[in-house]
Amino acid sequence: MASLPPDSAHLPPSSQRIAHIDLDEETILWRNADVEQERRVAIFDLIEENTFKPVRSSERGAKGPYRLKLAVRDGRLAMDIADADETQLESLLIGMARFRRPIRDYFAICDSYYQAIRKATPAEIETIDMARRGIHNSAAELLVERLEGKVETDFATARRLFTLICVLHIKG
């Protein structure tokens, strides 16, 4: 008989996770229906399954699950991390210079993708979607790298967080 994998649904949920996420509404200048749908899906998927362990807070004995607020302040990504009781644990500021190009490329490919959905062939849509996923994956890898030593996370969580970072950067 096979044993259950360590991430089995039969195990209790990890406390090293995000249980609630907010985006700074003042940061979001503009969004359309497509962007709003991306935001909703990213938040839903993120809350359903993620790995998120703020290193310094954990070393000081903080326990999750965590509440996360994302904002852009002075051109940097602000990650305000609180516990389940909304007690502020720490704030991380991450420089966004290395994300400018991936965000710009992601916006461009998403625009092409949304246009293609309305009028392109299935093969054209698939090609654009593959390019979109490639950009998204590269940006998620960059985010994992930039969070190293600050937050332990997995690739799927970083992908969803990158989607939300993009939402914060839409200028209209």
Side-chain angles (χ1 to χ4, degrees), residues 16-158:
Q16 300 302 325
R17 60 186 309 281
I18 300 166
H20 181 86
I21 189 159
D22 283 316
L23 301 182
D24 179 23
E25 291 298 322
E26 291 180 20
T27 302
I28 302 170
L29 301 177
W30 177 86
R31 56 183 168 210
N32 63 23
D34 293 326
V35 171
E36 187 58 24
Q37 179 63 15
E38 289 276 327
R39 182 194 66 80
R40 279 195 302 269
V41 169
I43 289 175
F44 178 83
D45 289 348
L46 187 65
I47 298 304
E48 284 295 305
E49 183 179 346
N50 70 80
T51 301
F52 189 87
K53 179 182 176 184
V55 175
R56 286 187 304 234
S57 294
S58 294
E59 289 171 351
R60 290 190 305 261
K63 302 271 190 255
Y66 302 100
R67 298 177 66 88
L68 179 65
K69 182 173 184 178
L70 298 177
V72 175
R73 294 187 197 126
D74 299 323
R76 296 184 288 178
L77 174 67
M79 301 177 79
D80 295 328
I81 303 166
D83 64 15
D85 296 326
E86 299 186 40
T87 301
Q88 183 72 21
L89 299 173
E90 64 181 286
S91 289
L92 301 174
L93 290 173
I94 298 171
M96 294 301 297
R98 293 183 59 200
F99 288 95
R100 284 190 186 107
R101 183 176 183 136
I103 289 170
R104 186 175 52 246
D105 291 350
Y106 188 68
F107 284 152
I109 198 77
C110 283
D111 188 47
S112 296
Y113 178 75
Y114 296 135
Q115 289 177 24
I117 287 174
R118 293 174 180 95
K119 59 184 175 187
T121 67
E124 292 168 327
I125 294 169
E126 184 176 340
T127 299
I128 293 169
D129 192 45
M130 286 174 57
R132 182 175 73 132
R133 283 193 307 265
I135 292 168
H136 204 160
N137 289 345
S138 294
E141 290 168 2
L142 176 60
L143 183 58
V144 168
E145 177 186 307
R146 299 290 293 142
L147 291 174
E148 189 173 335
K150 299 173 185 86
V151 174
E152 293 175 11
T153 192
D154 62 353
F155 181 74
T157 301

